[in-house]
Amino acid sequence: MQYSRCLLTSDAGNTDRMEASPLLNHDLQRHDLVGLRSNAWQTIIDEQAPTVQRILRQWQQANWPMVVRRDEAEGHDQQVAVGLVLPPSTCASEGNKVRISALVHASAIVYCSKPKTLLQLLTQRQGCVPDHWQTALNVLLSDAEQMQLDLHCFGSFAYQLSTGQVYLNDKSDIDLLFYATSKTQLMRACELLARHAEMLPLDGEVIFPGGFGVAWKEWLPAAKLAQDHGGQRVLVKQRQRVGLVPIEELTHSLAA
């Protein structure tokens, strides 16, 4: 299957001159998008091979963000683990993705945002979506808008639509996440995604208050089982840890 390469669009700017709001390290969550100061970028670039350095300089010049990932054991309180994935077409070993990982000081971050929404990405680069996904994605977006549900994107789908570079292949998923606000919204959103997953290769997470991420595909069966038997636990990913957490502990953080 062939995917068209989209035109590269630069949002370049001098991030060192941007007005940065006070940022606390503990406010950052997995999947958040962050912009870095030029000295932090330079440190990251200097640690890479020459071919990768060239690509990272283009990334920096386009002002594309890095992504907050799970903390590393050797990090300290003011360090933030960040990373990005380079397009397979730019890598020496065809078909493999090069993952760039780094630890940066919180003061090196000049902006932070949640992952882009499905609406933002489709509006930005509708032409980057494979043809066989177009109609089904528009239906999903329409159903989500009726629910007033913001679906955020990460992974290869988000990278391709954010940068215009080719990341997707025949085996790619569409990774979506949403931020849970109430028990009702949580169940309706999971049911919506499960229904559309019959037509699209959907995957992803629901993010609970505090940055607790749970695979939404696992939540529905676990929650229904908990209604009958109680005591169910789900695998939770957070910046600081990964572990099993009781379902009740997560739902207690939500409104009705």
Side-chain angles (χ1 to χ4, degrees):
M1 188 175 302
Q2 297 294 321
Y3 298 102
S4 60
R5 186 178 183 85
C6 305
L7 291 175
L8 189 69
T9 302
S10 173
D11 304 312
N14 187 338
T15 54
D16 285 350
R17 297 179 182 176
M18 294 178 65
E19 191 69 27
S21 300
L23 178 67
L24 299 177
N25 190 4
H26 62 259
D27 290 335
L28 294 168
Q29 298 180 2
R30 290 171 55 251
H31 304 304
D32 281 352
L33 307 180
V34 294
L36 304 181
R37 297 188 186 278
S38 58
N39 59 343
W41 264 116
Q42 192 59 52
T43 299
I44 295 170
I45 291 171
D46 288 343
E47 295 175 349
Q48 308 302 321
T51 54
V52 175
Q53 288 181 348
R54 175 181 55 80
I55 301 166
L56 290 181
R57 288 192 188 98
Q58 294 174 349
W59 199 281
Q60 179 190 10
Q61 291 167 2
N63 198 24
W64 293 328
M66 296 196 84
V67 181
V68 176
R69 57 190 177 87
R70 191 157 61 89
D71 289 343
E72 296 183 1
E74 65 268 25
H76 60 70
D77 288 346
Q78 288 305 309
Q79 285 185 323
V80 181
V82 299
L84 59 86
V85 179
L86 299 181
S89 60
T90 65
C91 304
S93 178
E94 187 175 351
N96 293 327
K97 298 175 184 176
V98 172
R99 300 179 185 275
I100 306 298
S101 301
L103 289 174
V104 300
H105 196 275
S107 62
I109 296 175
V110 293
Y111 68 82
C112 171
S113 70
K114 290 181 179 179
K116 289 188 176 182
T117 66
L118 180 60
L119 176 60
Q120 288 174 319
L121 291 175
L122 291 181
T123 301
Q124 181 178 352
R125 285 192 177 90
Q126 182 83 34
C128 287
V129 177
D131 291 341
H132 61 290
W133 286 352
Q134 291 271 7
T135 300
L137 278 172
N138 288 335
V139 174
L140 169 60
L141 184 59
S142 176
D143 289 350
E145 287 180 327
Q146 289 183 22
M147 284 181 53
Q148 297 183 320
L149 174 68
D150 286 330
L151 295 174
H152 299 257
C153 305
F154 65 101
S156 295
F157 182 83
Y159 275 117
Q160 178 154 318
L161 270 70
S162 293
T163 69
Q165 304 299 289
V166 178
Y167 281 84
L168 298 172
N169 58 49
D170 292 344
K171 299 179 180 179
S172 295
D173 291 325
I174 302 173
D175 292 306
L176 300 176
L177 66 84
F178 66 95
Y179 295 86
T181 57
S182 70
K183 298 173 186 176
T184 301
Q185 177 245 27
L186 169 61
M187 294 306 292
R188 290 184 63 204
C190 286
E191 290 170 352
L192 172 73
L193 291 172
R195 187 168 69 251
H196 282 272
E198 297 175 2
M199 297 164 284
L200 290 165
L202 302 182
D203 205 352
E205 298 181 2
V206 49
I207 309 296
F208 289 85
F212 296 92
V214 179
W216 51 260
K217 284 184 177 179
E218 297 179 14
W219 180 263
L220 269 181
K224 290 177 180 177
L225 193 60
Q227 290 177 351
D228 298 329
H229 304 286
Q232 298 297 312
R233 293 171 176 261
V234 289
L235 182 66
V236 169
K237 296 180 180 180
Q238 199 182 21
R239 260 190 68 195
Q240 297 79 11
R241 66 188 180 106
V242 175
L244 295 173
V245 174
I247 281 181
E248 292 80 4
E249 182 177 326
L250 296 169
T251 55
H252 285 167
S253 66
L254 303 176

